Amino acid sequence: MKKSFLSGLSLIVLLVACLTACQDHRIPLPGQSIQSNGPKPAYAPDMDPQMLAIIEELGRLNPTPLYTLSPQEARMRPSVKDAVNSLLDKNKIVAPKSNVSISQRMIPGWGGTPIRIVIYTPAGASSSAPVIVYMHGGGWVIASPEVYESSSVALAQNTGAVVVSVDYRLAPENKFPTAHEDSYAAYKWVKENAASISGNPAKVAVAGESAGGNMAVTVSMMARDRGLSLPVHILSVYPVANNDLTTESYNKYANAMPLSRPLVEWFVDKYFRSPADGDTPYISLVDVADLRGLPPTTIIAAEIDPLQTEGMQLRDKLGSQGVKVDYRLYTGVTHEFFGTYAIVKKAEEAQAFAAMQLRDAFK
């Protein structure tokens, strides 16, 4: 009788905890009430209303296609982050509060040239916390840790890890493979100096979005090939993984926003020394790279994205070469959705999934 009573009590406690957690999970952030009732673009008739509101605002803030500008001009134009903040301001909604401290320092990049890292440390982090080395997107040509700060903040808060965002050098001032090598140099620095940022060198993961999602994989390849211990996990969000701009998703979403085929062509023209760079293992992960022996990998993908097909191809290639891979495709959202959780509910869900995968890897 006593055993039965305790078992029943335990079950009740478990159910209450579950219901509480589920209820909390359903509570939307204030900005997630923002939606657009405008017409959906022809290339994405099923775009989520929250995502559409951001895409419309981005088009209003930045009506000139980036690929018609110089790199220097493009870097000054509003980003998806700016569109999110603009919509929050218009609706008099305060952005989600973060409990993360931010610092920065200079470290040696490729060839010893100093590069900047931005360090996001969650409140209450242990003196030997896990570390996530994060590479931002922007086609190796635009953007910065600040442009992608919402992703770094969420990863830090949701995992309890210190996030090190790499301000790798951009093209065309610094051609291929500078960004890749700078990112590897930052990973190596973290492995050798984790204690200086209150990190645990045995629990280091890599993560990135778009071009950064590509480099999360290639940094791991470099570590394997150069005798440096591997990261415990790879988080690759809508990665560049191939050199084929004629895939099904490239054709379907050739004119999508915020990423289109003309913009990708502009990026690679600026970063590659010649078209042959696109056929190297660091770019053509699907066709050329040897992915054997890489750590478990999580791929997060967006439906409305020219890179959707190659994300699936990367999933299949990793699996065929014996790498444990988890893949999740979020429908109704575009490239760059991962950091838009202040408005887009599916971005919040993707952040939660990514954090769960990373927390499990850090155990």
Side-chain angles (χ1 to χ4, degrees), residues 273-293:
R273 297 164 300 185
S274 75
D277 285 339
D279 296 322
T280 62
Y282 292 166
I283 303 297
S284 288
L285 303 178
V286 171
D287 290 340
V288 181
D290 177 3
L291 305 180
R292 290 172 294 183

Side-chain angles (χ1 to χ4, degrees), residues 18-27:
C18 178
L19 287 171
T20 301
C22 291
Q23 186 178 32
D24 288 345
H25 182 70
R26 289 197 300 268
I27 296 173

Side-chain angles (χ1 to χ4, degrees), residues 75-87:
R75 291 169 193 159
M76 301 299 293
R77 293 304 172 97
S79 65
V80 169
K81 175 187 175 182
D82 296 314
V84 168
N85 289 337
S86 176
L87 286 172

Side-chain angles (χ1 to χ4, degrees), residues 4-226:
S4 175
F5 172 76
L6 290 175
S7 297
L9 183 62
S10 299
L11 180 60
I12 291 170
V13 171
L14 181 63
L15 286 171
V16 170
C18 178
L19 287 171
T20 301
C22 291
Q23 186 178 32
D24 288 345
H25 182 70
R26 289 197 300 268
I27 296 173
L29 294 169
Q32 291 173 0
S33 63
I34 298 172
Q35 298 189 14
S36 170
N37 295 316
K40 306 289 180 68
Y43 62 80
D46 297 322
M47 186 182 293
D48 284 1
Q50 295 168 319
M51 191 81 247
L52 180 60
I54 294 172
I55 294 302
E56 288 176 341
E57 187 67 3
L58 180 64
R60 186 190 70 80
L61 292 173
N62 188 20
T64 306
L66 294 181
Y67 57 83
T68 66
L69 305 173
S70 72
Q72 294 75 20
E73 291 171 328
R75 291 169 193 159
M76 301 299 293
R77 293 304 172 97
S79 65
V80 169
K81 175 187 175 182
D82 296 314
V84 168
N85 289 337
S86 176
L87 286 172
L88 293 175
D89 289 344
K90 282 182 175 180
N91 288 274
K92 297 181 171 56
I93 295 172
V94 177
K97 294 187 182 300
S98 68
N99 205 9
V100 174
S101 64
I102 304 173
S103 60
Q104 55 184 302
R105 67 169 65 186
M106 302 300 291
I107 65 169
W110 186 34
T113 300
I115 61 171
R116 184 176 65 110
I117 56 172
V118 182
I119 303 163
Y120 300 86
T121 304
S126 74
S127 59
S128 185
V131 182
I132 301 168
V133 180
Y134 171 86
M135 280 71 73
H136 67 78
W140 304 289
V141 177
I142 61 174
S144 65
E146 287 74 20
V147 170
Y148 283 78
E149 188 163 275
S150 57
S151 291
S152 294
V153 166
L155 289 171
Q157 289 195 144
N158 295 341
T159 65
V162 175
V163 175
V164 175
S165 185
V166 185
D167 194 14
Y168 53 84
R169 286 171 284 173
L170 299 176
E173 297 90 340
N174 301 279
K175 293 281 193 175
F176 176 86
T178 304
H180 288 77
E181 292 286 356
D182 276 351
S183 297
Y184 173 75
Y187 173 75
K188 185 173 185 290
W189 183 90
V190 166
K191 290 291 288 184
E192 295 172 350
N193 298 275
S196 71
I197 55 171
S198 299
N200 184 345
K203 295 184 177 182
V204 179
V206 290
E209 295 178 55
S210 195
N214 165 277
M215 293 190 292
V217 177
T218 60
V219 163
S220 304
M221 293 164 53
M222 292 175 181
R224 177 199 62 195
D225 297 342
R226 299 176 187 182

